[in-house]
Amino acid sequence: MIKRSIILSCLLSMAASYSSAQDWKPAGDKILTEWASKVDPKQPHPEYPRPQLTRTNNWQNLNGLWKYAVTERSVSQLPSNWDGDILVPFAIESALSGVGKSLSKDQVLWYQTDIVLSKKLKNEKTILHFGAVDWQCEVFVNGQSVGQHEGGFDAFSFDITAALKKGAKQQIALRVWDPTSDGPQPRGKQINNPHSIWYTPVSGIWQTVWLESVPKTFIKSTHQTPNVDDSSLAFHAEVENAQNGDLIQITAFDNGKKIAESSNAATETQQLKLQNISLWSPTNPKLYDIEVKLMRKGKVVDQAKSYFAMRKISKKADKKGIERMYLNDEFLFHYGPLDQGWWPDGLHTSPTDDALKFDIEKTKEMGFNMIRKHIKVEPARWYRHCDSIGILVWQDMPSGDLGGNIWDMHPGKFRAGKQDKDRSPASEAIYKKEWNSIMTQLHNFPSIVVWVPFNEAWGQFKTKEIVEWTKQKDPSRLVNGASGGNYQAPGDILDLHNYPEPAMPDPARFGKDFILANGEFGGLGLPVEGHTWQAKDNWGYQSFKSVDELKKRYRELITDLVKLTQWGLSAAVYTQTTDVEVETNGLMTYDRKVIKIPVSELKQINDQLYNPNLIN
């Protein structure tokens, strides 16, 4: 009778889930991408979410329809009544959540789901993972609090083994608070009253939720740094509950063929020596597979798979004595779009993984070799796509605690006195904690070549300290300390923003100290009827009425950029990949259904920038 009762309960739960999935539909009346119709409400984003440490045989995806409720912030107990269903992992404000509601600083968002543990979860420990939750949350399993987290852009997890009940059926719940622009936390372009360059808030779960089972002693993370000059990979694993004598064994493969192997104590960093390596670049995105085993007395305790690439990013002077960026000891002009990663239907979350990949593929086809990921952090799979496709990434830290700065856009006109913002100790701590976590979690992705701690003085504070700390934490990459902001401590790169024409800092004054970059220019607008966020009052930094006008102006800007490259410029960022809400200055419309200048023509125009003779 008990077994029949359990089976009946599971069948009723499945039937209810199927019924809810049948009722789900996007909320609101805004434009949608073509991938919106391909979202499966029974399990959106079903792909394995952690490409740099994979255990694909013992995990369970928890995306799908959960119950939700919005209550006053004072409510601390799980609600007894629910407002309806929300499709995880889409933020409550998004169309694809099926809700489309805003959240104020005086409210909290509750989630709950009843799950049946997969039979694949057979190891001793069960870990509950969240790709990202914006912003502050507490997680409950079967009514028991298992942990809290603050940070809207970094992944986190909790060991929930002790909170699990006997049997397969379990309950998971979250309490989320997100003040958006009323708080000091990193938030990027979100604002409570969207307008101009500021967009709809993103609250709650917005990346994949999943379970993983691991042994008592397991590989928690890895840290992999290529050394091209030494033909080696520095490798370190963080092992939970390691014992004396435990070893980490790493084996590298090239298309299934073993090419190198190393073993050392589980607590030590080891050097994997490599021979006849092929260097990663946008024209040769060569990746090597790696197998990691945790060994104890000759037996495998835990194992996972990963990958790496051999590439080097460096700063050195050209024949004229001007500092340049070199990839694998060869000059390569970095040119890419400002990519904000927003979607009309999912906001911070792409409708599907194919949609996530689409933007990168089109960027490469257009003749760009770089993307500046603008004050947002993407799911790990986005960086994996960049690694595989061959796109350099400049990674911004999401801005927060804005206002109160002096913004000095023009190097050479430095103002006397203090320019950094005075942030409270709590605000500073929030920034440092999340930036540290972001750099740690993204370290292994070879496509990332530049860290950008600050953008346009938005919340910029203690610049020298933050830039030096960023460089010390990761000396394998360059640091663009203040993209278009206050230039007290630029790091490796001096980065000027200018619209619409490209511009550059004076190479005679700054070129012997810094790589010179134009971190934002362009912003050429063309609204396309039927593909805009709103019917009117859309804008660009310079707007046009036809494709021919837009194309002509774009050609002029690239001609100017070629000249600047000859004079000392090493990188430029065009605004932007797609339209975003009321901004219509994208190369593509917000719904990705129209590419405004044909891809082949864009590539032909952009290819002028990669002539190595430009700096000779």
Side-chain angles (χ1 to χ4, degrees):
M1 287 294 293
I2 294 175
K3 288 185 178 180
R4 287 184 180 180
S5 177
I6 293 173
I7 293 170
L8 181 59
S9 175
C10 290
L11 288 173
L12 290 172
S13 177
M14 290 171 61
S17 297
Y18 179 79
S19 176
S20 295
Q22 291 290 93
D23 294 337
W24 171 87
K25 64 179 181 179
D29 58 0
K30 297 293 187 181
I31 55 173
L32 304 172
T33 66
E34 65 178 63
W35 298 280
S37 63
K38 300 175 182 177
V39 172
D40 180 1
K42 292 189 292 296
Q43 192 167 92
H45 285 280
E47 300 82 9
Y48 189 85
R50 192 183 58 197
Q52 276 285 0
L53 187 67
T54 63
R55 298 184 187 90
T56 55
N57 294 324
N58 54 356
W59 77 289
Q60 181 178 355
N61 192 312
L62 301 184
N63 292 343
L65 287 164
W66 294 34
K67 296 176 183 177
Y68 86 94
V70 176
T71 70
E72 295 301 311
R73 190 183 173 192
S74 58
V75 176
S76 59
Q77 299 296 318
L78 198 67
S80 54
N81 297 313
W82 297 92
D83 296 344
D85 292 330
I86 184 170
L87 188 59
V88 170
F90 300 104
I92 187 172
E93 297 91 348
S94 72
L96 291 179
S97 71
V99 181
K101 292 181 181 178
S102 60
L103 197 69
S104 81
K105 64 181 175 59
D106 299 317
Q107 297 174 316
V108 291
L109 170 62
W110 293 87
Y111 292 85
Q112 180 182 295
T113 185
D114 295 318
I115 66 167
V116 176
L117 293 176
S118 169
K119 293 181 179 179
K120 294 188 296 183
L121 304 176
K122 296 179 179 179
N123 287 312
E124 295 108 316
K125 285 180 172 289
T126 301
I127 311 295
L128 175 59
H129 295 276
F130 294 87
V133 178
D134 198 350
W135 169 70
Q136 182 188 83
C137 74
E138 184 172 10
V139 180
F140 304 85
V141 175
N142 298 318
Q144 178 180 333
S145 177
V146 295
Q148 299 180 13
H149 179 76
E150 289 183 349
F153 296 91
D154 58 331
F156 61 97
S157 60
F158 299 115
D159 181 348
I160 64 168
T161 310
L164 295 177
K165 300 187 300 185
K166 288 185 178 180
K169 194 171 181 180
Q170 313 290 331
Q171 184 187 89
I172 297 171
L174 273 77
R175 180 184 187 272
V176 179
W177 177 62
D178 180 22
T180 307
S181 49
D182 287 326
Q185 78 286 350
R187 58 179 169 89
K189 285 291 195 77
Q190 304 173 60
I191 197 168
N192 289 328
N193 58 327
H195 63 281
S196 184
I197 64 170
W198 308 102
Y199 316 135
T200 302
V202 172
S203 301
I205 299 169
W206 68 273
Q207 288 187 31
T208 290
V209 185
W210 56 294
L211 290 173
E212 178 184 33
S213 68
V214 294
K216 183 178 180 180
T217 302
F218 68 99
I219 303 161
K220 190 173 183 179
S221 65
T222 65
H223 190 272
Q224 303 157 194
T225 308
N227 186 330
V228 168
D229 295 336
D230 191 41
S231 296
S232 66
L233 181 77
F235 183 95
H236 180 79
E238 181 183 357
V239 177
E240 187 88 358
N241 299 317
Q243 295 183 13
N244 290 335
D246 285 355
L247 299 175
I248 287 289
Q249 177 182 297
I250 53 175
T251 309
F253 298 89
D254 183 3
N255 293 320
K257 179 183 178 182
K258 184 166 77 171
I259 58 170
E261 192 169 70
S262 177
S263 181
N264 206 342
T267 55
E268 299 296 321
T269 297
Q270 53 188 300
Q271 304 291 327
L272 183 68
K273 290 288 186 177
L274 301 155
Q275 294 181 340
N276 302 318
I277 56 174
S278 179
L279 300 182
W280 184 98
S281 72
T283 56
N284 181 49
K286 176 66 177 178
L287 302 177
Y288 294 96
D289 295 315
I290 192 167
E291 187 177 75
V292 187
K293 292 182 178 179
L294 175 63
M295 308 294 294
R296 181 177 296 158
K297 298 178 180 179
K299 294 184 179 180
V300 177
V301 176
D302 186 28
Q303 60 184 324
K305 294 182 179 180
S306 187
Y307 69 92
F308 68 96
M310 298 300 294
R311 67 101 185 92
K312 173 185 177 183
I313 188 74
S314 59
K315 163 190 166 186
K316 65 179 180 179
D318 64 12
K319 294 177 182 178
K320 300 175 184 176
I322 297 173
E323 292 293 334
R324 298 280 191 174
M325 263 187 302
Y326 286 76
L327 182 68
N328 304 327
D329 292 320
E330 294 182 358
F331 172 70
L332 178 65
F333 188 81
H334 289 210
Y335 182 48
L338 191 77
D339 190 317
Q340 306 203 63
W342 283 76
W343 301 83
D345 36 27
L347 301 179
H348 269 181
T349 311
S350 67
T352 67
D353 190 67
D354 286 341
L356 194 70
K357 190 176 181 181
F358 175 86
D359 282 4
I360 305 166
E361 290 176 328
K362 289 302 170 187
T363 296
K364 186 77 178 283
E365 290 171 15
M366 290 172 183
F368 296 100
N369 63 9
M370 176 263 275
I371 288 171
R372 180 181 170 201
K373 179 47 62 178
H374 189 44
I375 54 177
K376 184 199 175 191
V377 177
E378 293 289 356
R381 291 186 60 85
W382 185 88
Y383 300 93
R384 167 70 206 212
H385 292 320
C386 289
D387 293 345
S388 303
I389 293 167
I391 285 283
L392 301 163
V393 175
W394 290 22
Q395 178 61 53
D396 287 12
M397 169 62 178
S399 304
D401 204 353
L402 279 60
N405 290 70
I406 298 173
W407 182 18
D408 189 353
M409 284 185 60
H410 301 284
K413 297 181 181 178
F414 292 101
R415 295 182 176 91
K418 186 175 178 60
Q419 297 182 48
D420 279 342
K421 176 172 182 171
D422 288 320
R423 292 173 68 159
S424 71
S427 176
E428 289 186 9
I430 287 169
Y431 172 99
K432 291 176 181 178
K433 179 184 176 184
E434 191 155 358
W435 185 222
N436 183 66
S437 181
I438 288 167
M439 287 190 287
T440 298
Q441 292 177 10
L442 298 183
H443 179 85
N444 290 349
F445 294 103
S447 54
I448 300 175
V449 292
V450 174
W451 297 119
V452 187
F454 296 114
N455 175 75
E456 292 188 358
W458 294 349
Q460 188 173 335
F461 73 101
K462 294 184 177 177
T463 310
K464 190 173 187 296
E465 175 189 322
I466 298 299
V467 169
E468 289 178 352
W469 166 50
T470 302
K471 289 177 66 65
Q472 289 170 4
K473 180 174 174 64
D474 187 4
S476 72
R477 292 180 169 95
L478 299 175
V479 176
N480 181 3
S483 183
N486 296 330
Y487 303 104
Q488 298 184 84
D492 301 301
I493 301 170
L494 197 62
D495 175 351
L496 180 67
H497 293 183
N498 198 74
Y499 287 98
E501 294 85 3
M504 67 183 287
D506 182 1
R509 181 170 180 182
F510 301 105
K512 290 180 171 56
D513 297 313
F514 306 107
I515 296 163
L516 305 178
N518 184 190
E520 291 182 28
F521 79 100
L524 305 182
L526 178 67
V528 180
E529 188 175 353
H531 300 277
T532 57
W533 180 252
Q534 59 190 32
K536 60 180 182 178
D537 298 327
N538 297 290
W539 71 280
Y541 287 93
Q542 184 178 7
S543 295
F544 301 89
K545 295 181 179 179
S546 72
V547 171
D548 288 341
E549 289 178 354
L550 176 70
K551 193 188 311 180
K552 179 176 180 294
R553 185 64 174 128
Y554 184 81
R555 284 185 183 275
E556 291 172 353
L557 297 186
I558 300 306
T559 299
D560 292 342
L561 204 53
V562 170
K563 294 175 183 176
L564 294 176
T565 303
Q566 293 171 316
W567 297 339
L569 194 68
S570 283
V573 177
Y574 178 81
T575 301
Q576 61 184 326
T577 307
T578 72
D579 297 345
V580 183
E581 299 201 356
V582 301
E583 288 187 70
T584 54
N585 48 26
L587 295 162
M588 296 185 281
T589 55
Y590 199 16
D591 58 12
R592 278 72 166 174
K593 292 179 180 178
V594 179
I595 298 175
K596 298 176 186 179
I597 300 175
V599 168
S600 59
E601 292 187 48
L602 274 172
K603 186 178 188 307
Q604 184 182 39
I605 298 168
N606 293 340
D607 278 351
Q608 301 173 72
L609 296 165
Y610 308 127
N611 183 348
N613 294 324
L614 289 177
I615 69 166
N616 294 329

